[in-house]
């Protein structure tokens, strides 16, 4: 077959892990894949001491005003320190993000935690804000803070927690001076 010079070549993109687990259904987007937790805590109070494996699933519905969706993860321990409790945890994270002018946004993304081994749980609610901007070199910066209050719990749970984040997205193949 002869190459048609007037026809544009297919768009190229960088390969991504788990592309086979991502799909769209109309205006909804879904994804899923494996999850692994490695015990790296330097103190027993800072971690479970267990290797854990499980699964994660995500569903989002982009809107003209922002984003609504949810993330569900489950993991179970399979190895690690013998004297430490078995881990069997489920987390759900519904999220709502509302875009505001000038790159600001309002957010609610608290993670609900359920220990399926002991029956303990805690359910926080959170409301916060963030800002997204792009640096001259093309890097996107996302900075946010979201105070969260635990409204229901059984077992040990924080009363208040502050969820903060700084995300940096570096452009793939970005050439300096090309916006």
């Amino acid at each position: 077959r002869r190459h048609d010079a007037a026809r544009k070549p297919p768009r190229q993109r960088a390969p991504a892990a788990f592309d086979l687990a991502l799909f769209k259904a109309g205006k909804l987007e879904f994804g899923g894949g494996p999850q692994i937790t490695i015990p790296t805590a330097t103190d027993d109070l800072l971690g479970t001491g267990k290797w854990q494996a499980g699964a994660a699933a995500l569903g989002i519905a982009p809107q003209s005003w922002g984003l609504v969706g949810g993330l569900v993860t489950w993991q179970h321990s399979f190895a690690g320190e013998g004297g430490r409790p078995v881990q069997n945890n489920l987390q759900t994270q519904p999220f709502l993000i509302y875009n505001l002018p000038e790159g600001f946004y309002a957010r609610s993304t608290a993670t609900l935690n359920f220990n399926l081994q002991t029956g303990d749980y805690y359910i926080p609610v959170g409301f916060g804000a963030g800002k997204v901007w792009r640096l001259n070199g093309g890097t996107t910066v996302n900075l946010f803070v979201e105070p969260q209050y635990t409204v229901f719990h059984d077992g040990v749970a924080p009363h208040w927690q502050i969820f903060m984040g700084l995300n940096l997205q570096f452009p793939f193949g970005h050439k300096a001076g090309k916006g």
Side-chain angles (χ1 to χ4, degrees):
R1 191 170 167 192
R2 205 168 60 116
H3 176 67
D4 182 356
R7 197 172 125 191
K8 291 183 178 181
R11 190 177 128 198
Q12 299 294 314
R13 67 176 186 80
F18 306 114
D19 271 359
L20 296 177
L22 301 175
F23 59 94
K24 286 183 98 168
K27 294 185 178 186
L28 302 176
E29 299 178 32
F30 298 96
Q35 177 175 323
I36 189 159
T37 301
I38 301 169
T40 60
T42 56
D43 187 290
D44 284 355
L45 294 174
L46 301 176
T48 65
K50 297 286 190 177
W51 286 79
Q52 300 174 62
L58 170 75
I60 60 172
Q63 307 292 320
S64 60
W65 48 263
L67 184 68
V68 64
L71 172 67
V72 177
T73 64
W74 169 80
Q75 53 190 349
H76 195 287
S77 59
F78 62 90
E81 296 179 25
R84 306 291 295 275
V86 170
Q87 299 297 305
N88 184 5
N89 300 301
L90 175 73
Q91 290 86 28
T92 62
Q93 184 181 26
F95 50 86
L96 175 67
I97 299 172
Y98 187 83
N99 295 329
L100 300 169
E102 306 295 326
F104 288 95
Y105 60 92
R107 59 181 283 138
S108 180
T109 65
T111 302
L112 292 64
N113 295 275
F114 302 92
N115 183 329
L116 303 177
Q117 191 72 22
T118 65
D120 292 353
Y121 65 89
Y122 67 93
I123 300 173
V125 294
F127 299 100
K131 167 92 168 123
V132 177
W133 67 96
R134 184 164 302 192
L135 301 177
N136 286 336
T139 299
T140 301
V141 179
N142 180 0
L143 179 65
F144 64 86
V145 62
E146 182 179 329
Q148 300 175 348
Y149 180 75
T150 299
V151 291
F152 300 107
H153 72 91
D154 187 13
V156 177
H159 291 288
W160 280 98
Q161 55 191 353
I162 298 178
F163 182 35
M164 298 175 64
L166 170 65
N167 300 321
L168 302 173
Q169 294 178 328
F170 302 103
F172 182 77
H174 180 77
K175 305 272 191 239
K178 297 225 177 190

